[in-house]
Amino acid sequence: MSSGDPNVSAAVSVRQGPDGNGISGTVSVWTLGQLPAPEAFAGRVRLDDVGFLDTAGAWYLLRLRAAGVVLEGLSPAHAQLVAA
């Protein structure tokens, strides 16, 4: 599935609270406007349930990391995109 695939579900969900932070769903050019500024997160963010990540989404995750947030639970493929 490519980032230009019109069949990609452009839904993202953000959890923030005392039980931890997490992002799930599609983290892409289509959903960046629905995500909080990186400074809104603190500590760690669980990413186990991210189903789709494109280059724009990886850029957002890199901004989280630059803000001091620890990224946890990335799939191997998504981790490679963020490491690139």
Side-chain angles (χ1 to χ4, degrees), residues 58-81:
W59 170 79
Y60 176 80
L61 296 181
L62 289 171
R63 288 185 55 214
L64 284 177
R65 185 183 289 160
V69 175
V70 176
L71 307 177
E72 296 181 335
L74 280 169
S75 73
H78 293 162
Q80 283 182 340
L81 187 56

Side-chain angles (χ1 to χ4, degrees), residues 10-54:
V12 66
S13 175
V14 177
R15 296 179 315 278
Q16 290 179 288
D19 295 335
N21 301 311
I23 299 174
S24 59
T26 298
V27 181
S28 73
V29 66
W30 299 292
T31 61
L32 287 180
Q34 300 171 44
L35 294 167
E39 297 78 20
F41 288 100
R44 302 176 181 283
V45 173
R46 295 295 313 174
L47 301 162
D48 305 89
D49 296 325
V50 171
F52 182 80
L53 179 71
D54 68 4

